[in-house]
Amino acid sequence: ESGRIAGVVQYGANRVDFIDSGLYLEAHGDHFDKKKGRPSLLLFSLTGEMTNSQRPVHFVSHEGRVSIHFDGNFAEGVDSKNVIVREEDLFLPNPDTLIITSAQQHGYGIPVHGGKIVFSEPDPDREFGSLPFGFVVLDEQGNVVQTFADKEDFQASCLGIHGEAGVGEHLLFGCNEKREDGTGDGGIFVMTHDPVTGLFSAHKIAYPDGLRTSILRSHHAQPFAIGNYGSRPDPGYKALVRINPDSTEIDPNDIQQLSTDYRGFDFEKEHGNKLAVLTVDGLLQVFNPSDWTLLGSTQVVEDFSGAEGLRPALTVGSGFAYVSNPNAGEILEVDLDTVSVSRTFSVEGQPVNMAALGWVAPLGPVPARDADHSHEHVADGDDFSHVYYASLSEGLNMISSPLKPRTPMDARSLAEMVGATMVIKLDDVNQEYVGWTPDAPDNGFPIEGAKGYIVNLPRARQVAFVGAPWTNQPQVSAAPIARSIDTPANTWAFVVSGQLEGVQNLEGYLVTVRNLRTNAIMTNRVRNDYFAAATADLSRQSVVRVGDTLEVTVVDVTGEIASEKLSFVVTPEALANAVLPITLKGIGIPKQSLVLQNYPNPFNPETWIPYRLSESAPVTLTIYDMTGRLVRTLSLGIKPAGFYQGRARAAYWDGLNDVGERVSSGVYFYRLSTPSFHQMKRMIILK
């Protein structure tokens, strides 16, 4: 996805290597400069021996992760293995990988939103050989969340799957048209992600005839995908089809006939407004994919429809298409604006498949540079090509930033880099811990040199810090310190975080969390309706246990109570993540109206009477003596719903009756009334 790394899938050699193109983006404030470094073969590679499988084929890059599928071998009883690794981790010599095992299949693993994976299901009946027939949606731990694999429900399965593409929130897959017995209603299988629920729904786009699509291409700027269209052996794939993921059937106007079989097709990479198509007669055609207008064509190589062995191939970049000519040892560059050959490159050997790379998104360390690639002098203090590899343990780690990153790092970027569920720092000025979690509305505090940070990882992993040596900073250890409490029942650092809902402006409200077992307190001010109260013990002693009850209260910016006392229990899941996510509803609005005990009590000569209103109402306070005689009536006016408990907001009685005389010592009763509520309590004047 970044445009920097190419995967070299070697089916025969049973391995996948990765090449760093050396293309990188250099940050300059509000923009990036495109830079070139020296290409290199990355240290990490995937082999069949490592995965205990065979035949790597499908390579998918999506949502910052790379998925490589090893088909396995049905005849030899070798299972399929799907390997998923974060793209930025490909620079590491031994990155973390997630491996999904299944029965042998020519399948896919597609990384999607929220760390989930859409994984193809092998067909136990092998109706279409090794082609799968449906999908499961897996969470980050590999647990099945949803299933679309009912062979008798053709709206919830996809027999003979081949070809995939993503269009916005949709995933599209090519399915077989019919079973061999003629049953079924094949088509294009569409899975649509709901960003609110995080779940997928599915429907089919019906084929209009006995043909199918088996290769799909898409571009982020277009609301549709393009697929090949035809069948084998006859009539061949001599058409392309435009696919709207919201439709239920293909419009005949969406089908573009070709003069002969295609060899390759793809969108222009930068804008997606052109589609280049190479056909086996050696012709390169360029279409407007929105309406199939032919923008131009050119003969790039000789007709190879009957050729055996290596055949020309197509890849499309930004503004240009590239066609390999293996027999001539050449690669031809075609300008997509003029639709003419602009350059010809002679290469050693017989070039076939290619990958077009470019500057898409920042990724990885600055590559090495030489005289041919470097265009500026880089001072020693500004050399951001240093890399520090750190091995982080599962659970809590204390880390520092060993190198100054080219782009300043904050809590969010640190959490994304290491895969943390939370980040904690020590506020030196106020001597308190400050927490941050990924559901925060902002990016959190800056990550500075010579500072320590606590992060929690769901699993151990190796990460690469890339940047320049810190200057004017005291030397600090960059190595992480593993957690010392290796038990699922305790943790030495913890965050309680979440959202507040209630009155219109909650900015600056103070959230206090008290552990009822230890009486320890953590606090945090609300910002953008979010808070993250943190605690830690740097001697690695337990601060929270499973089953602890945490009492949460909220006060407003004046110190006035703004919530009931709310209780939450620490669960094993919360402890594993070192985060208890909560939602505080009704802040500033009590669940029910209530009159509380006056204070001070006994009193002389004045007292305050706290109360709560669950709804806006006119409020009256009446005071009676022991005989029931009315002593004083106080009209408090129309009060909005809220907590009236501090001296600034509570009802006030100065100890005088209605005629201004000071009342005598004794027992009195006060009654607070609204049109829908009243409550009475007792108080004592003691002189």
Side-chain angles (χ1 to χ4, degrees):
E1 283 184 299
S2 70
R4 176 169 174 174
I5 296 176
V8 185
V9 180
Q10 301 153 80
Y11 181 90
N14 198 23
R15 67 180 291 136
V16 181
D17 288 301
F18 299 92
I19 295 175
D20 177 7
S21 67
L23 304 177
Y24 68 100
L25 291 167
E26 185 175 76
H28 289 277
D30 60 351
H31 71 282
F32 290 91
D33 285 349
K34 296 177 179 179
K35 297 290 183 179
K36 294 181 181 179
R38 186 184 306 146
S40 63
L41 182 67
L42 296 178
L43 294 176
F44 174 63
S45 64
L46 275 174
T47 66
E49 289 76 14
M50 293 168 58
T51 61
N52 194 26
S53 190
Q54 299 176 13
R55 302 174 178 173
V57 181
H58 286 140
F59 183 102
V60 178
S61 180
H62 195 233
E63 292 288 318
R65 291 177 291 168
V66 173
S67 171
I68 304 100
H69 189 83
F70 286 74
D71 279 3
N73 190 318
F74 181 75
E76 298 180 10
V78 178
D79 287 338
S80 289
K81 297 292 178 72
N82 198 93
V83 183
I84 295 177
V85 59
R86 298 204 320 175
E87 186 179 3
E88 63 184 302
D89 288 353
L90 293 174
F91 293 97
L92 302 174
N94 185 29
D96 285 343
T97 58
L98 173 65
I99 299 179
I100 304 170
T101 302
S102 72
Q104 191 277 329
Q105 62 166 323
H106 186 58
Y108 301 92
I110 303 171
V112 292
H113 312 270
K116 295 177 182 175
I117 300 157
V118 173
F119 187 62
S120 58
E121 276 283 89
D123 185 352
D125 303 318
R126 297 182 67 81
E127 289 190 64
F128 298 95
S130 63
L131 297 182
F133 78 103
F135 299 94
V136 291
V137 182
L138 308 175
D139 63 18
E140 288 183 286
Q141 288 73 44
N143 302 311
V144 176
V145 178
Q146 286 182 276
T147 301
F148 299 91
D150 183 352
K151 296 184 75 170
E152 301 309 315
D153 181 357
F154 292 101
Q155 293 300 311
S157 62
C158 183
L159 300 177
I161 299 167
H162 200 281
E164 63 82 24
V167 179
E169 297 288 343
H170 309 281
L171 293 176
L172 284 67
F173 303 92
C175 313
N176 207 66
E177 166 57 11
K178 301 283 185 183
R179 286 172 161 157
E180 290 186 3
D181 62 6
T183 63
D185 60 346
I188 297 154
F189 189 67
V190 182
M191 293 177 62
T192 302
H193 175 256
D194 185 334
V196 176
T197 65
L199 300 177
F200 285 87
S201 58
H203 75 278
K204 280 276 183 64
I205 302 175
Y207 298 131
D209 44 39
L211 306 179
R212 69 163 289 172
T213 185
S214 63
I215 300 292
L216 291 163
R217 298 285 185 262
S218 62
H219 190 278
H220 63 84
Q222 296 291 6
F224 52 78
I226 300 292
N228 64 349
Y229 200 60
S231 67
R232 295 285 186 219
D234 294 318
Y237 285 90
K238 297 180 180 179
L240 299 176
V241 59
R242 183 174 52 241
I243 305 160
N244 180 348
D246 293 320
S247 63
T248 57
E249 59 183 17
I250 292 173
D251 187 321
N253 293 324
D254 287 330
I255 299 174
Q256 173 64 38
Q257 298 296 330
L258 302 173
S259 59
T260 185
D261 278 352
Y262 82 97
R263 172 62 174 148
F265 64 95
D266 209 345
F267 288 90
E268 188 273 339
K269 265 192 168 47
E270 186 169 359
H271 304 290
N273 58 351
K274 297 182 177 70
L275 186 83
V277 184
L278 176 66
T279 46
V280 296
D281 55 4
L283 194 68
L284 183 79
Q285 301 176 79
V286 180
F287 293 93
N288 179 338
S290 298
D291 58 12
W292 291 125
T293 299
L294 180 63
L295 303 177
S297 63
T298 185
Q299 190 78 36
V300 285
V301 292
E302 295 179 354
D303 186 310
F304 56 93
S305 56
E308 297 182 358
L310 301 178
R311 304 200 304 166
L314 169 74
T315 191
V316 185
S318 297
F320 297 90
Y322 299 87
V323 177
S324 62
N325 189 346
N327 293 328
E330 294 177 340
I331 295 175
L332 298 99
E333 179 187 77
V334 178
D335 187 318
L336 295 180
D337 287 331
T338 62
V339 194
S340 60
V341 175
S342 51
R343 289 188 293 179
T344 299
F345 303 93
S346 295
V347 298
E348 295 181 6
Q350 294 179 288
V352 185
N353 295 321
M354 302 162 289
L357 303 174
W359 297 272
V360 178
L363 181 78
V366 175
R369 287 175 281 196
D370 55 28
D372 294 330
H373 296 92
S374 180
H375 302 287
E376 60 182 355
H377 174 71
V378 180
D380 291 341
D382 295 325
D383 184 359
F384 287 90
S385 64
H386 295 262
V387 181
Y388 180 92
Y389 296 107
S391 295
L392 304 181
S393 63
E394 177 183 346
L396 294 171
N397 295 261
M398 175 73 83
I399 65 174
S400 63
S401 179
L403 296 169
K404 177 184 177 182
R406 182 180 297 273
T407 301
M409 189 177 291
D410 50 39
R412 184 177 298 280
S413 55
L414 175 63
E416 290 175 349
M417 184 180 76
V418 304
T421 59
M422 62 77 163
V423 183
I424 295 176
K425 77 161 187 174
L426 175 63
D427 182 342
D428 295 332
V429 176
N430 298 311
Q431 286 297 297
E432 63 181 10
Y433 290 104
V434 179
W436 182 91
T437 58
D439 58 354
D442 55 30
N443 293 330
F445 42 79
I447 303 301
E448 304 171 88
K451 301 283 187 180
Y453 301 90
I454 302 170
V455 295
N456 185 79
L457 276 62
R459 58 181 180 270
R461 63 176 301 161
Q462 188 180 50
V463 297
F465 289 88
V466 181
W470 290 101
T471 56
N472 301 321
Q473 296 280 4
Q475 192 69 29
V476 294
S477 171
I481 303 172
R483 61 188 297 178
S484 62
I485 299 178
D486 189 18
T487 166
N490 297 273
T491 187
W492 56 268
F494 197 72
V495 176
V496 179
S497 71
Q499 302 290 325
L500 283 77
E501 300 174 4
V503 295
Q504 189 170 8
N505 184 13
L506 296 166
E507 196 73 14
Y509 278 41
L510 181 68
V511 178
T512 300
V513 181
R514 184 166 69 94
N515 188 326
L516 297 185
R517 177 178 61 85
T518 65
N519 212 34
I521 290 176
M522 43 182 154
T523 62
N524 190 239
R525 290 282 177 186
V526 175
R527 58 189 189 280
N528 297 323
D529 298 339
Y530 166 86
F531 77 98
T535 185
D537 186 317
L538 298 185
S539 64
R540 314 303 191 270
Q541 299 302 308
S542 171
V543 294
V544 172
R545 295 178 185 171
V546 170
D548 278 355
T549 298
L550 305 182
E551 182 183 81
V552 180
T553 56
V554 182
V555 300
D556 65 18
V557 292
T558 68
E560 178 71 42
I561 292 291
S563 76
E564 323 263 352
K565 288 184 178 179
L566 306 169
S567 295
F568 300 89
V569 176
V570 177
T571 64
E573 180 183 7
L575 202 78
N577 291 324
V579 176
L580 178 64
I582 62 177
T583 299
L584 303 179
K585 296 183 178 181
I587 301 304
I589 305 173
K591 294 180 181 178
Q592 62 181 14
S593 296
L594 185 68
V595 176
L596 304 175
Q597 188 62 53
N598 68 303
Y599 61 89
N601 188 48
F603 66 94
N604 178 34
E606 58 186 2
T607 191
W608 285 262
I609 299 170
Y611 62 97
R612 299 174 182 176
L613 290 180
S614 61
E615 59 184 2
S616 178
V619 179
T620 301
L621 180 69
T622 50
I623 299 170
Y624 304 87
D625 63 16
M626 279 287 291
T627 67
R629 181 173 60 88
L630 178 64
V631 174
R632 182 79 178 269
T633 299
L634 297 170
S635 179
L636 305 183
I638 298 176
K639 297 290 186 181
F643 294 82
Y644 296 84
Q645 296 181 213
R647 292 194 175 191
R649 303 190 72 193
Y652 169 74
W653 184 38
D654 56 9
L656 303 178
N657 61 20
D658 277 335
V659 296
E661 299 171 338
R662 193 161 301 281
V663 300
S664 60
S665 298
V667 175
Y668 292 82
F669 297 90
Y670 57 92
R671 173 189 173 101
L672 189 113
S673 303
T674 73
S676 60
F677 165 80
H678 64 269
Q679 186 178 359
M680 181 177 286
K681 281 188 175 292
R682 191 179 74 159
M683 59 183 170
I684 299 173
I685 295 180
L686 188 61
K687 297 184 178 180

